[in-house]
Amino acid sequence: MTPHHGRILLLGILLLLFIWPLGVQAKGLNLAEIPFRFTIGDSKDYAGPTYDDSGWAEYPILLSGGWAERGAGLDDRIFWQRVTFDGSALADISSPALHIGVLQGGNIFYLNGVEFARVAMLDPPYAGLVSDNNMPLPRTFAFPPNLLNLQGENVLAIRSTRNGLENTFLSGPIEIIEEVDALKKSNARTAFFILYNSLSVFVLVLAFFITFGVWLVARKDTGLHWLLIAFVVLLPVCLLNSSAAAYLEWKFPPALFPFFVLNLSSYVLVPVIEFSAIHLRVRIRWYTRMLQVAILALPFIPDGTADFLFPISRADTLIWSMLSALTFLQISIWAIRGALHRDSRAYPVIVGAAVIWISTTMSLLGLEDWALRTTGSGFGAVTVPIFLLSLTWAGIQPLFEAKARLAEAQSEVLRAQEHERRRVAYDIHDGVGQWLSTIKLNLQMLQGQHRGTSAESGFSEVVGHVDAAISDTRRIAHDLSPAMIEKKGLAAAIRSHADIIRHRSGLTVSVDVDDSITFAPTVQGHLYRIFQEALQNAVRHGKATAIDIRLAQEKKKYCLEIKDNGIGFDSTVQSDGLGLKSMRQRTELVGAHLDVISSPASGTTLRVTSRN
């Protein structure tokens, strides 16, 4: 299966998990179609079936928003909703259950004055939130036997606790249907929510490990330690407050859960500011330091209405939202300033900040309810991992830039080396070679003048030595700068050099090259040098008697292979030889992969394969 097919399969699973529960048809009563009565405040009497709620305001079921419209202030944290319905509509249901599409926050459910379900609420019921996870999840609550009045009116009352600006969320469908159908809907939708939320957590964990790995190998301070601190702070929050944790009903001590889940997330902004400043090479000024101090002090603001240690109250949440906006505004200004100065380091930060601002805009437009209702997570579950992933991209960018500079420096060295080889080759060929040819002609003239004398044999011997010197000079010049590569290509140059090695050393050299393969001039130059070095190693160090050379194209990838039957060596041991290092450098520069397979007394196979 290709990666493309895998992505299609994953998308299909996600769509199936989301669409399947929507197709479950169940008979029953849709309570969301009946107006709910709503009030701010708290009283045990509100659950009673005979309580007169005619003075309450009438609204649709409450989503996460609408507090200001319903008269709630920052200090209001308890509200009730009641709905009256006719039980005769449920006479055909054998096992009635209350099914809620998405439920978040602390809630207690009463039917006709009797509590039959609760989520994230402590005993006694008016003590506040319990220390467990209250992420949005579909919920199904079965009614106790004989509690539902099938002959007349019933009152469903819901008591909800709000511990943030807009933390409680009830969304449709809210209906009374058969328990079996309700469980089908809840289980399928829960699986989709968990999978969706887990993908966000996976992105966060992946970004953390990438950052940690780069930080381990980094040789200079790029601010990655601050980014790691941000991950260490945020990961517990995401893990403890994930849909999977809610489904598994993980519970924590009452003081720890709100501190980790509610307060610790605010601390992420402090190291994010530090990292952004180091990465974008700006100096943090006094007003940014004051912003960091305010963020650190926020969780310790006293809250007289709190039920647990150091919570983020409604007012604190509003302040935290303002501090978050100021933080991202400051980072955005830094990044935009860097981008205006054409600093490539600013671009990943701009992408991450843009994602945050887009999600903030969508939340202000009221789309947060849609996200919770559709995926079980707010925009932050997606945008925060994307933002930190963009910072990870920013954090490793200097290392990639350094690697690119090093590769460019190596390439420049090799180019200078090739230039110098070509210059020396021309000097040898046009200088020393010409002088030797002149000397040979003069010697031959002198030999002719002394023909038939005793000096003739001496001249013949010297001319032979000069011929050998001329041949060596031409060979050295050819090795330094093989003109055949430029004239006839790599395949012809390989054949020519193989012939030279065959005649010079008497080795058995077989050549199988594909002349149809074309290379860029730089690539074929590097490949030829790798080929030269491999043959030289086989002859000088490998003591080979036979060498097989192959240049072929396999699945749009070229492969250059040099195999000998020499003494071999232990290829698992790191070699300090300049020849092998040079071959690896050249292989990297042409975007290929070098494999060296060898062991003592088993010969050596060197294979260069292109990556694409």
Side-chain angles (χ1 to χ4, degrees):
M1 179 183 295
T2 65
H4 178 68
H5 292 153
R7 288 191 291 268
I8 293 177
L9 179 61
L10 179 60
L11 180 61
I13 293 173
L14 287 173
L15 291 175
L16 179 63
L17 288 174
F18 178 64
I19 294 174
W20 177 45
L22 300 182
V24 175
Q25 300 296 325
K27 60 182 179 180
L29 182 63
N30 185 3
L31 298 179
E33 296 177 350
I34 307 174
F36 277 71
R37 295 186 179 275
F38 174 94
T39 190
I40 301 293
D42 197 18
S43 172
K44 296 180 181 180
D45 297 335
Y46 294 167
T50 59
Y51 179 79
D52 182 10
D53 57 12
S54 58
W56 291 14
E58 208 171 76
Y59 293 105
I61 186 74
L62 177 70
L63 302 180
S64 63
W67 283 92
E69 292 81 353
R70 302 187 187 195
L74 288 177
D75 292 328
D76 294 319
R77 59 184 318 218
I78 305 294
F79 68 94
W80 284 75
Q81 296 180 95
R82 287 167 54 97
V83 62
T84 301
F85 62 92
D86 187 358
S88 61
L90 306 171
D92 295 335
I93 298 178
S94 58
S95 299
L98 177 67
H99 172 248
I100 301 176
V102 185
L103 179 66
Q104 178 188 20
N107 296 272
I108 303 179
F109 295 86
Y110 302 86
L111 182 61
N112 298 325
V114 178
E115 177 188 334
F116 68 94
R118 66 169 58 198
V119 177
M121 296 290 279
L122 285 170
D123 284 319
Y126 305 93
L129 284 175
V130 73
S131 56
D132 66 1
N133 192 301
N134 61 350
M135 279 289 290
L137 282 177
R139 303 281 182 173
T140 292
F141 306 112
F143 289 118
N146 304 320
L147 184 59
L148 185 65
N149 180 10
L150 297 177
Q151 307 302 323
E153 285 190 343
N154 295 266
V155 176
L156 174 68
I158 309 173
R159 178 187 184 270
S160 302
T161 302
R162 168 188 174 210
N163 67 306
L165 279 178
E166 307 285 7
N167 199 47
T168 298
F169 184 92
L170 288 91
S171 175
I174 175 167
E175 56 191 356
I176 301 175
I177 57 178
E178 284 282 3
E179 184 179 0
V180 174
D181 295 330
L183 288 174
K184 285 181 181 179
K185 287 188 174 186
S186 291
N187 291 339
R189 198 87 178 274
T190 297
F192 174 78
F193 284 3
I194 291 175
L195 182 59
Y196 179 87
N197 188 248
S198 298
L199 289 175
S200 300
V201 176
F202 172 76
V203 170
L204 200 63
V205 173
L206 178 64
F208 165 74
F209 280 110
I210 292 174
T211 305
F212 183 70
V214 174
W215 174 74
L216 285 178
V217 301
R219 298 294 184 182
K220 53 188 289 188
D221 182 20
T222 57
L224 285 176
H225 58 287
W226 286 109
L227 192 55
L228 281 175
I229 292 173
F231 279 117
V232 170
V233 170
L234 190 60
L235 275 173
V237 178
C238 292
L239 293 173
L240 298 180
N241 208 34
S242 64
S243 298
Y247 179 74
L248 296 173
E249 297 183 351
W250 288 358
K251 290 180 169 43
F252 309 92
L256 290 181
F257 182 79
F259 181 78
F260 275 104
V261 174
L262 302 177
N263 297 332
L264 205 56
S265 58
S266 64
Y267 286 161
V268 174
L269 299 177
V270 176
V272 163
I273 291 174
E274 292 290 337
F275 168 77
S276 301
I278 294 174
H279 175 73
L280 297 171
R281 293 174 285 202
V282 298
R283 184 167 61 89
I284 298 180
R285 300 187 180 276
W286 64 268
Y287 47 83
T288 307
R289 291 296 182 200
M290 293 297 293
L291 177 63
Q292 290 177 297
V293 171
I295 293 170
L296 292 172
L298 178 61
F300 300 95
I301 296 176
D303 181 8
T305 63
D307 297 327
F308 35 65
L309 179 65
F310 300 143
I312 295 181
S313 66
R314 274 69 50 214
D316 297 342
T317 307
L318 182 61
I319 297 172
W320 182 81
S321 300
M322 296 172 60
L323 295 179
S324 299
L326 290 174
T327 298
F328 288 111
L329 179 62
Q330 177 69 87
I331 293 174
S332 300
I333 292 173
W334 289 344
I336 292 172
R337 188 183 301 163
L340 292 176
H341 289 86
R342 297 184 178 180
D343 185 356
S344 60
R345 293 186 172 203
Y347 302 143
V349 182
I350 288 178
V351 171
V355 170
I356 293 295
W357 289 118
I358 290 172
S359 70
T360 301
T361 302
M362 295 175 72
S363 297
L364 293 175
L365 293 175
L367 296 177
E368 187 82 9
D369 291 348
W370 172 84
L372 287 167
R373 186 166 56 249
T374 306
T375 66
S377 303
F379 289 121
V382 176
T383 56
V384 171
I386 291 177
F387 173 72
L388 289 177
L389 190 62
S390 70
L391 293 190
T392 299
W393 172 24
I396 64 179
Q397 188 181 20
L399 297 181
F400 286 124
E401 291 175 352
K403 184 178 179 181
R405 287 194 298 269
L406 178 60
E408 179 60 29
Q410 291 175 341
S411 180
E412 187 63 34
V413 168
L414 291 175
R415 281 196 296 268
Q417 187 182 74
E418 290 296 325
H419 176 76
E420 188 64 16
R421 282 183 173 185
R422 186 175 286 108
R423 186 189 66 78
V424 172
Y426 288 152
D427 287 347
I428 291 175
H429 183 273
D430 297 340
V432 177
Q434 294 299 326
W435 275 109
L436 287 174
S437 297
T438 301
I439 291 171
K440 178 182 175 182
L441 287 173
N442 290 333
L443 287 172
Q444 288 175 333
M445 290 174 60
L446 290 172
Q447 183 183 7
Q449 294 174 2
H450 293 82
R451 192 174 304 278
T453 65
S454 59
E456 181 181 0
S457 61
F459 279 112
S460 296
E461 184 178 354
V462 173
V463 169
H465 291 325
V466 173
D467 273 334
I470 290 174
S471 296
D472 283 346
T473 301
R474 288 174 177 172
R475 177 183 56 81
I476 293 171
H478 178 272
D479 287 346
L480 285 172
S481 180
M484 188 172 293
I485 291 183
E486 299 176 0
K487 293 179 180 178
K488 296 185 178 180
L490 178 61
I494 287 176
R495 287 195 185 94
S496 175
H497 192 70
D499 288 339
I500 293 174
I501 294 295
R502 186 184 298 114
H503 291 108
R504 185 193 307 167
S505 60
L507 299 180
T508 301
V509 182
S510 66
V511 180
D512 179 16
V513 296
D514 186 350
D515 293 276
S516 64
I517 306 175
T518 57
F519 301 93
T522 304
V523 173
Q524 66 180 9
H526 286 306
L527 290 177
Y528 183 78
R529 293 303 180 192
I530 294 171
F531 161 74
Q532 266 188 320
E533 186 68 34
L535 257 63
Q536 181 175 307
N537 289 341
V539 174
R540 289 187 179 180
H541 307 297
K543 312 298 183 184
T545 60
I547 302 174
D548 295 326
I549 302 164
R550 187 175 69 91
L551 176 62
Q553 190 161 354
E554 302 171 351
K555 297 180 180 179
K556 298 183 180 180
K557 296 182 179 181
Y558 66 79
C559 177
L560 173 63
E561 183 178 272
I562 301 97
K563 183 177 181 180
D564 67 65
N565 65 345
I567 60 175
F569 64 98
D570 187 356
S571 59
T572 61
V573 178
Q574 184 69 30
S575 173
D576 295 328
L578 294 177
L580 191 57
K581 286 184 178 179
S582 174
M583 285 191 285
R584 293 194 185 281
Q585 287 179 356
R586 291 181 184 276
T587 304
E588 287 294 327
L589 289 174
V590 299
H593 180 71
L594 177 66
D595 285 317
V596 180
I597 306 168
S598 183
S599 59
S602 297
T604 301
T605 298
L606 184 143
R607 187 180 297 113
V608 179
T609 309
S610 60
R611 292 194 175 97
N612 49 47

